[in-house]
Amino acid sequence: MPSPAHHTAGLGELVCSNSLKSKDPSTAPGMLKHELEQLGSLVLACARATSVPAGGALAVDRERFSDLITRRLGALPGLTIVRDEAREVPDGPVIIATGPLTSAAFEPALSRLIGPDRLSFYDAAAPIIEADSVDRSVCFPASRYDKGGADYLNCPMDRAEYETFADALLTAERVTLKDFESPDLFQACQPVEEVIRRGRDAPRFGAMKPVGLTDPRTGRRPWAVVQLRPEDRACKAYNLVGFQTNLTFDAQRAVFRTIPGLGHAEFLRYGVMHRNTFVDAPSLLTADLALRSEPRVRLAGQLAGTEGYLEAVAGGLVAALGAYAALSGGEPFVLPPVTAYGSLLAHATDPGTKGYQPMHVNFGLVPPIDPHVRDKRERHAVMAARGSEALEHLIASRPDLRVDSALATLAEVEL
Ligand SMILES: Cc1cc2nc3c(=O)[nH]c(=O)nc-3n(C[C@H](O)[C@H](O)[C@H](O)COP(=O)(O)OP(=O)(O)OC[C@H]3O[C@@H](n4cnc5c(N)ncnc54)[C@H](O)[C@@H]3O)c2cc1C
């Protein structure tokens, strides 16, 4: 059943970019690719087989990619593909992966299953940046009026810095809305570029108000402040408070790096505003993607509350291995939290995670290594090696999941 963004009958259709991001194993997307390979991912193998030159990224010829997935799945014995719209949740073990544009006819059944008000229908998220990339000689920790702990990092602006930022924001390139993303979608949560369009000073009386804050460098209240709020307990990632945005990713990099202290900000996730159906994973799901209230049902892909093509691929695989383990009476299949995808699932399904927004895999979520390695690239390489080893160990200890034989089946249908 095609969504408004899907245009072909092929499986695995990429609706937008044809890039599956970096191949470098010491980046988070590269680490995830390696994990998918270890788990025998059919989709990743199809991506490798249909790749096109794209520097350090794995990009695919989207038609050949989708065609190969369709033919390889079609050739699997015992698999029947039914092309129809689901309106009810089937009985028995089931994996639901209806994606960000889950059809309206299915939403009531989904809501009955997970409970009222547990389904979000759009994603309005501010960018998330890596803590290590914030310049602490400029940003200072404090909460407004010193209420609570000094939980926020504050990026102070003087008048001239605010004007530079305002000019950049007012002229930045925005993402064009798709037909199914009506402007009404954004009424409940205005993007920051829209707020400033309505009044050049409007952000200074909203998300960027400086009240209750004193810049320790000047001893005075700044002209404006961008507050950074921790994303995780270990404070390895921060979001830009109130900076929901619909700017293009390039524009976000350019504009938000004009904020004092963020000149070298590394973006773990860019702000997005698009139609996105997803559940409140921390309250609903276990780390093997089963519903806490009804474990026969698993959710996968964007619906389960992750973001991105490869994260969706990993979710499908983890849910499938989890369902297989449950059906064959084995132990639950839970990825080690030191893996890229395991760390994302540990965060997304931790009941202590509040206000969760879908996100990509990122090193901010992977537990730190001890001893600490100062060089970032080297540190990430050590983390990736640790994740790979833990996953290898898990696979070796779970012969019941037959990951190896899945790998062998793959090679049977060729390009
Ligand atoms: C417009 C748009 C652009 C995006 N661009 C990117 C990008 O460039 N890079 C990136 O990494 N991510 C992008 N994403 C996010 C992207 O959707 C996910 O990364 C990924 O495709 C999610 O995979 P999925 O399997 O969860 O959902 P999907 O790939 O959307 O697959 C879900 C499938 O279920 C079908 N379906 C829905 N309801 C029903 C029903 N009731 N019965 C039967 N079938 C149903 C849908 O039609 C669809 O075919 C984009 C999302 C959107 C909406």
Side-chain angles (χ1 to χ4, degrees):
M1 146 83 202
S3 78
H6 291 83
H7 300 296
T8 74
L11 303 175
E13 178 186 344
L14 299 179
V15 291
C16 189
S17 161
N18 66 335
S19 170
L20 306 180
K21 296 197 178 160
S22 175
K23 292 187 280 196
D24 179 348
S26 62
T27 62
M31 184 173 166
L32 176 57
K33 285 185 189 65
H34 182 62
E35 290 166 10
L36 285 170
E37 228 138 39
Q38 287 179 286
L39 288 167
S41 165
L42 176 144
V43 179
L44 189 69
C46 291
R48 296 253 193 240
T50 58
S51 65
V52 295
L58 175 60
V60 300
D61 174 325
R62 64 179 82 233
E63 279 172 27
R64 292 177 75 223
F65 172 68
S66 166
D67 177 62
L68 188 58
I69 295 176
T70 309
R71 286 191 295 114
R72 280 190 172 170
L73 282 180
L76 281 181
L79 179 77
T80 309
I81 297 174
V82 178
R83 293 176 179 276
D84 204 353
E85 180 177 28
R87 289 163 181 262
E88 293 297 333
V89 177
D91 294 332
V94 57
I95 297 172
I96 304 174
T98 43
L101 305 175
T102 291
S103 75
F106 188 54
E107 281 164 10
L110 203 50
S111 286
R112 279 196 297 280
L113 183 72
I114 62 176
D117 304 325
R118 298 290 184 85
L119 210 49
S120 298
F121 296 110
Y122 66 95
D123 195 354
I128 296 174
I129 55 175
E130 196 174 66
D132 282 355
S133 66
V134 177
D135 184 346
R136 308 290 171 124
S137 67
V138 176
C139 302
F140 60 95
S143 290
R144 270 183 221 290
Y145 301 109
D146 291 328
K147 280 190 188 149
D151 296 335
Y152 292 81
L153 282 179
N154 300 279
C155 310
M157 287 185 185
D158 60 23
R159 191 171 189 160
E161 286 163 338
Y162 182 79
E163 297 304 333
T164 305
F165 168 76
D167 286 340
L169 187 54
L170 281 162
T171 53
E173 191 191 351
R174 300 169 176 212
V175 175
T176 315
L177 294 183
K178 305 276 188 309
D179 291 346
F180 52 86
E181 294 171 327
S182 100
D184 294 349
L185 199 67
F186 300 151
Q187 265 175 15
C189 192
Q190 289 291 337
V192 62
E193 60 275 13
E194 186 57 26
V195 174
I196 201 163
R197 203 182 60 81
R198 292 181 179 190
R200 192 176 171 92
D201 257 352
R204 290 206 315 116
F205 297 94
M208 295 176 71
K209 62 178 180 284
V211 294
L213 293 166
T214 304
D215 184 346
R217 293 176 309 168
T218 62
R220 290 200 305 272
R221 176 201 285 188
W223 183 253
V225 168
V226 175
Q227 288 203 297
L228 309 179
R229 184 169 44 217
E231 264 300 306
D232 58 326
R233 288 179 193 171
C235 297
K236 292 198 290 175
Y238 284 83
N239 68 65
L240 278 67
V241 179
F243 271 57
Q244 293 83 3
T245 179
N246 203 36
L247 297 184
T248 64
F249 292 177
D250 282 347
Q252 289 186 43
R253 256 195 319 272
V255 176
F256 300 145
R257 282 184 179 161
T258 67
I259 297 170
L262 302 190
H264 299 286
E266 293 285 346
F267 289 79
L268 297 175
R269 172 194 159 137
Y270 291 96
V272 285
M273 298 195 80
H274 63 76
R275 172 87 158 85
N276 191 7
T277 310
F278 62 95
V279 303
D280 180 34
S283 65
L284 289 173
L285 299 179
T286 55
D288 59 349
L289 294 174
L291 279 180
R292 291 180 201 282
S293 59
E294 202 160 339
R296 74 174 177 91
V297 179
R298 285 183 160 71
L299 304 188
Q302 201 102 347
L303 185 65
T306 61
E307 177 78 25
Y309 292 152
L310 274 189
E311 288 79 352
V313 171
L317 199 45
V318 167
L321 288 168
Y324 187 84
L327 284 173
S328 52
E331 289 287 303
F333 179 74
V334 176
L335 285 183
V338 291
T339 56
Y341 194 64
S343 67
L344 175 57
L345 285 185
H347 176 66
T349 62
D350 176 355
T353 301
K354 301 291 174 225
Y356 177 75
Q357 287 285 330
M359 61 171 72
H360 294 288
V361 288
N362 65 78
F363 279 108
L365 297 175
V366 182
I369 45 166
D370 187 19
H372 180 70
V373 175
R374 210 177 148 71
D375 179 79
K376 195 159 84 175
R377 219 182 134 70
E378 259 177 55
R379 183 167 71 245
H380 290 171
V382 174
M383 285 166 141
R386 177 187 60 175
S388 164
E389 198 179 313
L391 185 54
E392 211 51 67
H393 185 73
L394 174 68
I395 293 168
S397 69
R398 297 298 303 264
D400 56 312
L401 296 178
R402 300 195 299 170
V403 167
D404 288 348
S405 68
L407 278 171
T409 315
L410 273 181
E412 284 166 19
V413 177
E414 279 321 316
L415 274 171

